């Protein structure tokens, strides 16, 4: 049994799988994500977050990129927007709302997206053979809007943490932009 655990340990260290006691092993990515992420670091925790808390897609549409993304050159084109929520395993209780915007060049992944997909950037990497090279993150306190408040069961206008993430590929091209809204 020890000999079989060692390869799984290595796959988990590379960020390719995530193991949960009594629940088994889940594929997290087809590409290593831990080349600069040490176990126990904030980035390691963040990489596991996308696997540990399921993203449940509630709607898909093609929209313009929001101003918050700051990408003027591509704002005029339609991006694939996946709206949903992250839920706790086993309880299906939402912890945040999520809006994922996929660059127009990669919207063909829409047919590959199940109701509870893995990390979206991993689907893009797998289909297009590119690697996300950097992730920028901005956190800010905001009053929660009525849409997210309704999905999370909190009062509109109450405090929330908004997390914006920019996933960039080769030549600093924005591949994906996400907005997570966590209630206080």
């Amino acid at each position: 049994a020890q000999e079989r655990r060692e390869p799984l340990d290595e796959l988990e260290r590379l960020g390719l799988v995530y193991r949960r006691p009594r629940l088994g092993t889940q594929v997290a990515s087809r590409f290593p994500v831990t080349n600069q992420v040490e176990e126990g670091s904030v980035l390691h925790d963040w990489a596991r977050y996308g696997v540990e808390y399921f993203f449940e897609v509630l709607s898909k549409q093609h929209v313009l990129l929001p101003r918050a993304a700051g990408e003027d050159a591509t704002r005029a084109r339609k991006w694939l927007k996946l709206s949903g929520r992250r839920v706790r395993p086993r309880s299906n209780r939402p912890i945040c709302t999520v809006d994922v915007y996929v660059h127009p060049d990669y919207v063909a992944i829409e047919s590959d997206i199940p109701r509870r997909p893995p990390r979206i950037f991993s689907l893009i990497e797998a289909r297009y053979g590119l690697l996300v090279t950097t992730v920028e993150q901005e956190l800010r306190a905001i009053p929660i809007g009525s849409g997210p408040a309704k999905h999370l069961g909190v009062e509109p206008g109450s405090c929330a943490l908004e997390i914006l993430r920019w996933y960039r590929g080769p030549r600093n091209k924005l591949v994906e932009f996400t907005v997570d809204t966590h209630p206080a």
Side-chain angles (χ1 to χ4, degrees), residues 24 27 34 39 45 58 60 65-66 77 79-80 93 95-97 107 111 116 118 128 168-169 179:
V27 174
T34 59
E39 189 166 343
D45 289 345
L58 300 175
K60 298 176 187 178
L65 187 64
R77 295 174 63 197
W79 289 56
L80 171 62
R93 184 171 167 223
I95 62 163
C96 70
T97 60
V107 297
S111 61
R116 285 193 170 170
Y128 293 96
R168 298 189 183 279
V179 180

Side-chain angles (χ1 to χ4, degrees), residues 14-169:
L14 291 170
L16 299 171
V17 299
Y18 176 68
R19 295 186 293 176
R20 291 180 292 176
R22 296 180 300 283
L23 292 176
T25 301
Q26 180 179 4
V27 174
S29 177
R30 290 180 55 185
F31 301 97
V33 295
T34 59
N35 54 348
Q36 296 181 8
V37 179
E38 293 181 25
E39 189 166 343
S41 73
V42 171
L43 290 176
H44 183 263
D45 289 345
W46 173 77
R48 292 175 65 113
Y49 164 81
V51 176
E52 222 173 299
Y53 296 96
F54 301 109
F55 174 37
E56 184 174 63
V57 177
L58 300 175
S59 71
K60 298 176 187 178
Q61 52 187 312
H62 294 264
V63 301
L64 297 177
L65 187 64
R67 289 196 183 283
E71 295 288 319
D72 294 326
T74 56
R75 191 171 296 124
R77 295 174 63 197
K78 297 277 181 140
W79 289 56
L80 171 62
K81 179 184 179 187
L82 308 169
S83 294
R85 59 192 187 159
R86 288 217 178 267
V87 296
R88 293 181 189 280
R90 290 179 247 127
S91 76
N92 286 332
R93 184 171 167 223
I95 62 163
C96 70
T97 60
V98 180
D99 289 322
V100 176
Y101 298 84
V102 177
H103 190 283
D105 291 349
Y106 310 114
V107 297
I109 69 157
E110 184 173 2
S111 61
D112 299 339
I113 299 173
R115 185 165 178 254
R116 285 193 170 170
R119 296 175 298 205
I120 301 302
F121 75 86
S122 295
L123 294 175
I124 295 168
E125 289 175 330
R127 183 166 191 145
Y128 293 96
L130 64 87
L131 287 176
V132 168
T133 55
T134 60
V135 179
E136 301 164 35
Q137 182 169 270
E138 180 181 314
L139 293 90
R140 55 189 180 187
I142 61 162
I144 196 165
S146 59
K150 179 181 174 185
H151 286 291
L152 298 168
V154 298
E155 282 293 314
S158 61
C159 293
L161 176 67
E162 184 176 70
I163 304 171
L164 308 176
R165 289 189 190 96
W166 293 262
Y167 296 80
R168 298 189 183 279

